[in-house]
Every structure is written in structure tokens, then in C-alpha cells.
Amino acid sequence: MRLILLVLLLTAFAASAQREGFKVFGDSLEVYNAFTFSPDGKKLYTSEFTRITTPEGEPDVERWGDRNRPKVTLYEYDLIEGNPKNKRKLAFANDSLDSSPHLNFRGDKLYFSSRRPLPGADSLDGKAHVWFSEKQTNGEWSEANCFEEINEAGYYTMYAQELADGSIMYQSNVPGSVKNESGENSQDFWISEFKNGTYQEPQNVTSLNTGIQEDQLVVNRKNNLIIFTRNNDSEMYAFYSLKVNGVWNEPKELFLTDLPGFKEQSPRLSPDGQTFYFAHGLLVMSIPLAELLSEEDIKLIE
């Protein structure tokens, strides 16, 4: 079935995509929400469904809780000649609550979104929050830690990335976010700058936020290119913005494909920043960044 889906998807890309040059990365992957590479390109971290076989012998997704949510958790792979191998669940990962990993540029802190209870709470609040694990001197990952400086009970805080200067950029609907058409807080990008060893009061990244749900982000090492998604009425499309004179300029749509029914999600960059990845359905696609942006854009970020 997966082979049929892959053939249909690639055929559809050839027939109707607005860009050429896409390649399938890791054709056995079924990524849910996000993935991330280690700085040396030797490891891949993902969040994926927990797959099971029903008593009738049919493939299915394991589920949990009263809302029958699909189980999703965090995995690590070895990248061997560019192919993900030796899949294993991360020791600190919860069996059903963790997703959307993002490794920092040093490779020693892995951020992820989790529905675990916040410290001091005895139950779930129905929201996702940012947690992290740190690489120990023995090479093992620590227990999960709640990023208490940016999480707020009752609000979503997700998709965090540590920037090259140590600041944290993430998505949240905390008070101060742009209101949507219904008058509710939308999902916006926020940043907590890291100065003198301390995370500062989070600030709304106003030049990127619209009242539509700003989603899943990746920022390059030079902190002058951001690629992210906007999610509106179940449609998700990728956008990018360049930082000019310290300010993110007006985002532009990337127009990855015009295929219906497949969200453009989980934008990521290779460790060297030269290749762009995204998930289309559960498949991971890649394309050289130079084929995605204009020559002028490439010169601005180099």
C-alpha cells in the first residue's frame, strides 16, 4: 500500500507540482509533526506513530486515552550514507505524549512538544508545551525537563528552536498573540532572547504573525532565514522570510506543490543549510535550497 502511495505521489508531483527537483528522503519513514538532524549529519530524530497489527492482521495506529488519540513518540536513527537505519525509541520519550523534536546547533539539547502534565500539576491540561533533554557526558540523553520560562498552563507552546545565540523561538497562543477572526488568540511566533545566561521576557515576532495559525518553524544558523507553515481551515502551506536590518521581512509563499489533500509541513534544513526538507503526508521530501529560493535570496543569506 505504501509503495502505491509513493508512486501516486511522485506521479502527481511530476504532473502538477509547481516546482521540480524533489526527492523522497528515507522512504521507510512515516514522520508525524517533525524531525531533526544532528549537526554532524550522523543522526536523525523523529516523531512517529506507534504502528500495530490488528487481530484481523490489518496495519493500524495504536491509540490512547478517552479521545482515542494516536500514540506518537520520539525516535533516533543512524544516518548511514544518507539513509536512516537502526530505529530506536529515545529513553526519555513518553509512549504517547511527545512529538516534534528539534536539536540545537551544538547537538547537545533536544527540544520537543509534549502533552505531559506541567510540573506541580496532577493531570493533563489538554495543551502541548515545550520540554527538552540534554546530552550527558557519557553520550546518553537526560530525563525530560520542562521549559518553564516559556510554558504557560492552559496555552499551547510548541515547535521550539534554539537559535545560534541561545535564544528560543517557538509557537504559542499566550495572551498578546494576534486575534483571529473569531476573536481568539491565534498561534503566533514568539522569541525569548538569551542574555547574560538568562531567558528574557518572551516577545511576539510581530512581523511574521497574521491571525492565521503560524506553525512549525526552522531558522538557519545565521538567523537570517526562517521557513515555516501557516495553517488555515485544514490547509497548510510553507512560507519563508529573510531578516534584513534585524527585522524579518514580509513572508512569501514557497509554492512547494499544488497537490490537494497533502499538507506542506515539518520544514527542516540539512546540517549544512544547503538542503530543504518537508513532510508531505507522512513522506519526507527534499530539494536543494538553491532550487527553492531565488539567486538574490541565496546571496542575502550567505
Side-chain angles (χ1 to χ4, degrees):
M1 180 64 184
R2 182 175 175 80
L3 179 59
I4 294 173
L5 173 62
L6 178 58
V7 171
L8 290 175
L9 181 57
L10 291 178
T11 301
F13 261 107
S16 63
Q18 297 184 31
R19 292 185 184 271
E20 298 179 352
F22 291 100
K23 295 181 179 179
V24 174
F25 169 75
D27 61 8
S28 64
L29 287 176
E30 292 186 336
V31 168
Y32 174 79
N33 271 358
F35 53 94
T36 185
F37 298 95
S38 62
D40 61 8
K42 295 181 178 180
K43 304 288 183 184
L44 174 72
Y45 298 87
T46 68
S47 54
E48 300 179 40
F49 292 124
T50 302
R51 292 290 180 180
I52 61 171
T53 301
T54 67
E56 296 75 27
E58 296 295 325
D60 200 358
V61 175
E62 190 172 0
R63 298 179 180 275
W64 65 279
D66 295 337
R67 298 180 64 181
N68 205 31
R69 293 181 181 275
K71 280 192 173 183
V72 61
T73 194
L74 305 176
Y75 297 94
E76 179 185 54
Y77 292 82
D78 298 316
L79 281 176
I80 301 175
E81 296 182 350
N83 297 309
K85 304 288 184 181
N86 308 322
K87 177 181 178 179
R88 54 213 178 257
K89 195 185 87 169
L90 290 169
F92 63 82
N94 185 283
D95 282 337
S96 56
L97 301 177
D98 300 338
S99 66
S100 309
H102 205 150
L103 197 63
N104 65 359
F105 289 115
R106 296 186 305 277
D108 60 6
K109 188 176 285 189
L110 186 68
Y111 299 88
F112 60 97
S113 302
S114 182
R115 294 181 180 272
R116 303 168 188 234
L118 292 172
D122 57 6
S123 63
L124 307 179
D125 69 357
K127 311 298 181 185
H129 304 286
V130 175
W131 290 65
F132 64 90
S133 174
E134 296 184 272
K135 183 69 70 69
Q136 307 299 289
T137 54
N138 63 1
E140 300 296 324
W141 290 101
S142 72
E143 291 298 315
N145 300 281
C146 180
F147 201 145
E148 298 189 54
E149 291 89 343
I150 63 174
N151 291 322
E152 290 192 38
Y155 298 95
Y156 288 99
T157 304
M158 302 178 292
Y159 303 120
Q161 179 182 343
E162 180 182 309
L163 306 182
D165 65 0
S167 301
I168 298 295
M169 195 168 180
Y170 58 96
Q171 176 213 56
S172 185
N173 66 336
V174 293
S177 299
V178 178
K179 300 289 186 181
N180 61 24
E181 292 181 353
S182 300
E184 301 172 335
N185 291 348
S186 65
Q187 299 283 348
D188 280 1
F189 291 139
W190 291 75
I191 187 169
S192 174
E193 294 187 346
F194 190 67
K195 295 181 178 179
N196 301 318
T198 303
Y199 293 104
Q200 306 300 301
E201 184 71 20
Q203 301 295 318
N204 188 286
V205 187
T206 56
S207 58
L208 298 177
N209 299 319
T210 60
I212 298 173
Q213 180 171 316
E214 271 70 39
D215 217 337
Q216 308 173 344
L217 64 102
V218 63
V219 181
N220 67 347
R221 187 182 291 269
K222 291 186 177 180
N223 193 22
N224 59 8
L225 168 68
I226 182 172
I227 302 176
F228 63 95
T229 61
R230 283 179 174 158
N231 195 350
N232 188 29
D233 296 330
S234 299
E235 295 290 335
M236 183 179 290
Y237 299 103
F239 290 78
Y240 76 101
S241 174
L242 306 181
K243 183 177 284 187
V244 180
N245 298 323
V247 178
W248 294 109
N249 63 15
E250 180 70 22
K252 300 178 182 178
E253 190 172 348
L254 282 176
F255 296 106
L256 298 177
T257 175
D258 57 8
L259 281 174
F262 290 91
K263 294 182 178 180
E264 301 170 0
Q265 58 189 4
S266 306
R268 287 293 184 257
L269 293 170
S270 60
D272 63 6
Q274 301 300 306
T275 303
F276 173 72
Y277 295 82
F278 76 107
H280 214 53
L282 297 177
L283 294 174
V284 178
M285 314 297 291
S286 72
I287 189 171
L289 191 63
E291 295 182 21
L292 196 62
L293 304 182
S294 69
E295 291 184 10
E296 181 180 358
D297 289 339
I298 293 295
K299 288 179 181 179
L300 286 173
I301 64 176
E302 287 181 342

